[in-house]
Amino acid sequence: MTTVLLNKSYDADFVGQVEKESEQNLSLCYQCGNCTAGCPYSSFYDYPVSQIVRLTQTGQRETVLSSRALWLCASCESCTTRCPNNIDVARVMDVLRHMARRAGHKPEPEIKIFWDTFLNSVEKHGRVFEMGLMAKYIVKTGRVMTDADLGMDLLPKGKLSFRAHDIVGKQNVADIFKRFNKERES
Amino acid sequence: MSPTYAYYPGCSGLGTSAEYDRSTRAVCKTLGIELVDIPDWSCCGSTPAHTVDHALSCALSARNIGQAEKLDVEGIITPCPSCLTNLKTASHRMRNPEFKARVEKLLDEPVENRLPVMSVLQVLFEQVGPRRIADRVTESLSGLRLAPYYGCIMNRPPEIMDFDDCENPIAMDRLMAALGADIAPFPLKVECCGASFGVARKGMVMKLSGKLLDAAEDVRADAMVTACPLCQMNLDLRQKQINAANNARHNMPVFYYTQLIGKALGLGEDSLMLDNLIVRPVGAFRKMEEVRRSAS
């Protein structure tokens, strides 16, 4: 367990930014631990979700944004549903990973590559092309045996299509990404 | 007049969950719910989009909401909980004019955001209802013991999803009971299966989906029944991997609820695609027949 020294590293801007982007009042969290108790991913996290909230309250930008927990959250909404003070914790987790991305953190490279490859597929075809997504993921990660065993079950049932389902308006979808990237750069 | 809805199939319906899409269309048709596909619908961005940015994620959903608004329909419905959550969250957040303006800047044209968004499950439960479905049953499922598994996001968070109970949903239980099935008290109805981490972090799915299969076995279910393509894929397609990882010997069929409604209404294999399931359900059906024989 890492010791975090709270007195020297309080970053008020960070707290304000998380509260603004998530539209949540983090000072309402009194650390009851309900979010962590219900989180199916706690055992995989470096910091359980209630500690992520506490670290955010105490302005620990670097510790929070470099945390692996942000990338291992599946947005199952347990935490949000069970928070007694109605904090949308899953939304806070989302906002923290937005910020982690912008700051260039990638403690879970495979997960980031999977998500990015998924979105590239949407940007290119308008819909996800499952087979293409898997192929690109394998190329980018070098994990050649990823789910190779499943192909034997999927292929005979026609569950994996070899061609992409490009939509007519795929340019509209690509434009959404283009405008988003432009907005981000400005 | 039968209600007409704009139908959003979701990307997996074109591939890994073709049987969900096919059986949903067949069941809706049989029960008098008219579906019109959203013209040239695009991907909602699923989880990856909202982990990058909320305006981007909402814009990807809003394009589809806009496309649906061009139709003469009562609302938008989708079978997939992940698509549902994205469409509903987009619709909910766009009630904030400032956010809506930001989303619209990413789109080619503005959206009105006036159509309600619902799951197919909600429409079948609330508009048709278990009683009317029970009246239509031609092949009862009595003797089949089911563990109903809703997945994590069909009903959560309650403020946005606005349907059924967020801790103990019962819509699918009631519909399955209306078909004559025996409903096991399944304690992990809304626990997460590991979601899309099967590819990048398989161990998490092995543990979480493994726990679901163990629990279904513990309540003596013959099969699980689900409403989510990703849950179904983790539990069915990955069941062999789960067995190997956990030293287990599960042989648990995992149906889509629409397949079972279709079966009880007497629809054929063309509509149900039961052959598409990886864990074959023949054993469960055989047991169902045996239970019935011994009861009669």
Side-chain angles (χ1 to χ4, degrees):
Chain A
M1 182 94 197
T2 335
T3 305
V4 180
L5 294 170
L6 300 179
N7 51 347
K8 290 206 172 146
S9 45
Y10 179 71
D11 184 336
D13 290 346
F14 172 65
V15 185
Q17 200 183 348
V18 177
E19 291 200 327
K20 186 171 168 255
E21 287 190 32
S22 67
E23 298 177 12
Q24 304 300 306
N25 178 359
L26 291 178
S27 54
L28 290 176
C29 172
Y30 47 48
Q31 290 287 301
C32 72
N34 242 358
C35 51
T36 294
C39 175
Y41 296 89
S42 285
S43 63
F44 307 104
Y45 283 2
D46 43 3
Y47 296 99
V49 56
S50 50
Q51 285 185 20
I52 293 281
V53 176
R54 183 74 185 126
L55 286 163
T56 308
Q57 279 179 331
T58 53
Q60 304 304 306
R61 180 194 291 265
E62 277 314 296
T63 310
V64 173
L65 294 189
S66 61
S67 164
R68 290 170 45 227
L70 303 183
W71 299 86
L72 299 171
C73 161
S75 307
C76 80
E77 304 284 350
S78 264
C79 48
T80 295
T81 303
R82 294 172 188 168
C83 175
N85 287 334
N86 290 323
I87 300 173
D88 189 341
V89 187
R91 189 168 173 191
V92 173
M93 290 295 273
D94 247 358
V95 163
L96 290 171
R97 42 191 167 194
H98 302 165
M99 292 167 73
R101 256 179 192 276
R102 297 199 299 257
H105 293 284
K106 37 187 159 185
E108 292 286 338
E110 283 93 1
I111 293 173
K112 184 175 184 296
I113 290 171
F114 183 73
W115 286 342
D116 290 350
T117 314
F118 184 102
L119 290 175
N120 289 341
S121 184
V122 178
E123 185 174 0
K124 189 169 167 203
H125 305 288
R127 290 177 193 161
V128 170
F129 171 35
E130 290 170 322
M131 183 78 122
L133 162 64
M134 281 307 291
K136 286 233 171 74
Y137 172 81
I138 288 166
V139 169
K140 284 186 190 167
T141 56
R143 293 170 60 170
V144 286
M145 290 316 285
T146 306
D147 286 334
D149 52 332
L150 300 183
M152 300 301 285
D153 283 324
L154 282 171
L155 291 175
K157 297 189 187 290
K159 280 190 167 219
L160 269 187
S161 173
F162 283 96
R163 71 188 167 80
H165 303 274
D166 286 32
I167 66 168
V168 179
K170 64 181 179 184
Q171 191 52 48
N172 306 131
V173 177
D175 285 344
I176 293 175
F177 283 92
K178 208 157 97 191
R179 291 182 197 120
F180 171 73
N181 291 331
K182 209 166 148 196
E183 177 197 285
R184 175 139 295 181
E185 281 159 21
S186 63
Chain B
M1 220 188 85
S2 58
T4 305
Y5 289 97
Y7 180 64
Y8 184 76
C11 299
S12 66
L14 301 170
T16 45
S17 72
E19 60 272 40
Y20 193 22
D21 181 56
R22 182 87 66 88
S23 55
T24 297
R25 290 176 191 274
V27 163
C28 286
K29 192 174 176 199
T30 307
L31 295 174
I33 293 165
E34 202 173 321
L35 306 178
V36 185
D37 281 34
I38 294 179
D40 205 41
W41 59 271
S42 47
C43 176
C44 69
S46 196
T47 304
H50 70 71
T51 66
V52 171
D53 187 87
H54 287 148
L56 171 69
S57 169
C58 286
L60 291 172
S61 287
R63 178 182 177 271
N64 294 295
I65 293 173
Q67 290 288 91
E69 283 168 353
K70 294 172 184 164
L71 304 168
D72 180 20
V73 291
E74 286 181 33
I76 301 171
I77 65 172
T78 179
C80 170
S82 181
C83 304
L84 178 74
T85 208
N86 277 329
L87 289 164
K88 281 187 91 93
T89 303
S91 174
H92 184 83
R93 290 201 178 139
M94 281 194 297
R95 285 183 208 154
N96 172 345
E98 208 179 308
F99 183 72
K100 186 166 182 273
R102 210 192 134 201
V103 171
E104 284 179 335
K105 267 173 74 181
L106 299 176
L107 297 169
D108 288 317
E109 47 192 7
V111 285
E112 279 184 66
N113 194 28
R114 63 180 158 82
L115 291 174
V117 182
M118 279 172 284
S119 63
V120 174
L121 180 64
Q122 181 173 4
V123 170
L124 289 183
F125 185 66
E126 291 179 353
Q127 311 244 335
V128 185
R131 194 173 298 172
R132 268 170 64 200
I133 289 180
D135 289 343
R136 301 282 300 270
V137 170
T138 55
E139 295 173 28
S140 164
L141 300 184
S142 77
L144 184 67
R145 189 169 163 84
L146 295 172
Y149 173 56
Y150 294 73
C152 53
I153 51 175
M154 178 67 100
N155 309 94
R156 301 191 309 198
E159 295 77 22
I160 290 180
M161 303 318 275
D162 197 25
F163 166 57
D164 209 344
D165 190 275
C166 59
E167 296 289 2
N168 183 25
I170 45 100
M172 209 159 54
D173 298 41
R174 295 268 168 87
L175 291 177
M176 293 299 108
L179 310 177
D182 177 15
I183 310 303
F186 189 58
L188 303 182
K189 278 178 174 179
V190 294
E191 280 293 306
C192 185
C193 67
S196 66
F197 288 122
V199 176
R201 287 290 297 260
K202 197 160 98 181
M204 302 210 303
V205 172
M206 300 297 104
K207 186 176 165 194
L208 297 176
S209 283
K211 207 159 75 175
L212 293 167
L213 289 165
D214 291 346
E217 202 99 44
D218 286 347
V219 295
R220 292 176 291 106
D222 302 319
M224 294 177 79
V225 55
T226 182
C228 173
L230 193 49
C231 301
Q232 201 278 343
M233 185 161 88
N234 282 339
L235 294 165
D236 182 38
L237 175 64
R238 293 190 185 277
Q239 200 170 120
K240 264 189 252 171
Q241 292 180 338
I242 292 167
N243 282 342
N246 301 344
N247 198 16
R249 296 179 63 184
H250 296 296
N251 184 30
M252 180 73 66
V254 187
F255 295 106
Y256 287 108
Y257 76 99
T258 45
Q259 288 179 300
L260 291 179
I261 295 178
K263 183 170 168 59
L265 299 184
L267 303 182
E269 174 62 19
D270 274 358
S271 310
L272 307 180
M273 295 172 81
L274 291 168
D275 280 348
N276 246 30
L277 301 178
I278 307 295
V279 177
R280 300 189 55 76
V282 268
F285 289 137
R286 200 180 301 130
K287 206 211 115 200
M288 176 177 88
E289 300 293 341
E290 279 164 22
V291 171
R292 277 195 227 174
R293 253 200 309 275
S294 62
S296 63

